Amino acid sequence: MRIGQGYDIHRLAEGKTLVIGGVHFEDSPVGTIAHSDGDVLLHALIDALLGAAGLGDIGDHFPPSDDRYKDADSTDLLREVLDLLTGRHCRIINVDSTLFLETPKLGSRKAAIRHRVAELIGIPADRVSVKAKTMEKLGSIGAGEALAASVTVLLSEL
C-alpha cells in the first residue's frame, strides 16, 4: 500500500471559469486564475497520486512554463497520470478530499463532484470523499480571494 497527499490553491477573479473536480460551475461569478483550467481538486489529486507512486509532482510532469499546458483541461492531465500509475501497476483504493472555500457554496454539488472524480479515476463513488470547509472569513480563502484543496489517496501495488 502507498499513501499520497496533495494540495493546491488558486486565486479567484471575476470573469474567469470555475472548475472543481471536473465539474464546471457555469453560474459562478468568479473562477480561478491559473495556467491551466485551475481545477484545484484535480491538481491536488494529481499531486497525491504522483506522490504515492513516487513519481514527483504535477510541476515535474506539467510545468507551467510549458505552453502545451496553457488552458489545459485537468481531466486530460489526470488521464496521463492514470496511465503512469497503470505502468507502475498501481491501482487507486480510495480518495479523501477537502475543499477550502467561502464561495460558491457547494451544497448538493459535492455529490456531483464526488461522482465525477470517481468516474474519472475508475473507482466506485463510495470510495471517494469530497468535503467542503470555509475558513470562517480568515485569510485569502476566507475573504473569497482564493480556494484550495487537499487530497489524500491510498494506492495498492498489483
Side-chain angles (χ1 to χ4, degrees), residues 11 24 32 37 44 51 54 59 107 117:
R11 290 183 301 146
H24 291 259
T32 51
D37 65 4
V117 169

Side-chain angles (χ1 to χ4, degrees), residues 2 53-55 83-90 157-158:
R2 292 170 163 259
L55 295 170
D83 288 344
L84 291 172
L85 293 180
T86 299
R88 296 284 277 233
H89 306 288
C90 292
E157 294 179 308
L158 304 176

Side-chain angles (χ1 to χ4, degrees), residues 1-157:
M1 298 294 214
R2 292 170 163 259
I3 296 172
Q5 192 276 329
Y7 177 84
D8 194 38
I9 186 168
H10 283 287
R11 290 183 301 146
L12 294 169
E14 291 182 8
K16 297 287 188 179
T17 302
L18 182 62
V19 183
I20 301 174
V23 174
H24 291 259
F25 286 67
E26 304 294 342
D27 59 340
S28 178
V30 296
T32 51
I33 299 171
H35 184 70
S36 67
D37 65 4
D39 188 329
V40 294
L41 183 57
L42 292 189
H43 293 181
L45 175 59
I46 288 168
D47 261 347
L49 293 169
L50 289 170
L55 295 170
D57 64 34
I58 192 169
D60 295 333
H61 295 268
F62 313 108
S65 58
D66 189 333
D67 284 339
R68 289 180 297 168
Y69 305 115
K70 177 79 173 124
D71 300 322
D73 184 327
S74 293
T75 61
D76 294 335
L77 305 181
L78 178 59
R79 284 185 189 100
E80 287 188 41
V81 170
L82 294 173
D83 288 344
L84 291 172
L85 293 180
T86 299
R88 296 284 277 233
H89 306 288
C90 292
R91 87 181 155 99
I92 302 167
I93 303 299
N94 75 305
V95 172
D96 184 29
S97 65
T98 306
L99 293 158
F100 301 92
L101 71 168
E102 291 294 322
T103 185
K105 299 296 183 200
L106 295 184
S108 63
R109 292 184 182 182
K110 286 189 295 186
I113 294 167
R114 178 180 175 213
H115 286 279
R116 180 66 175 139
V117 169
E119 174 187 35
L120 288 168
I121 62 176
I123 67 173
D126 67 354
R127 292 187 179 196
V128 175
S129 171
V130 176
K131 304 177 298 292
K133 303 292 179 196
T134 68
M135 298 302 286
E136 301 295 328
K137 307 285 185 196
L138 298 172
S140 61
I141 294 171
E145 298 169 354
L147 75 154
S150 177
V151 175
T152 302
V153 300
L154 179 64
L155 300 182
S156 70
E157 294 179 308

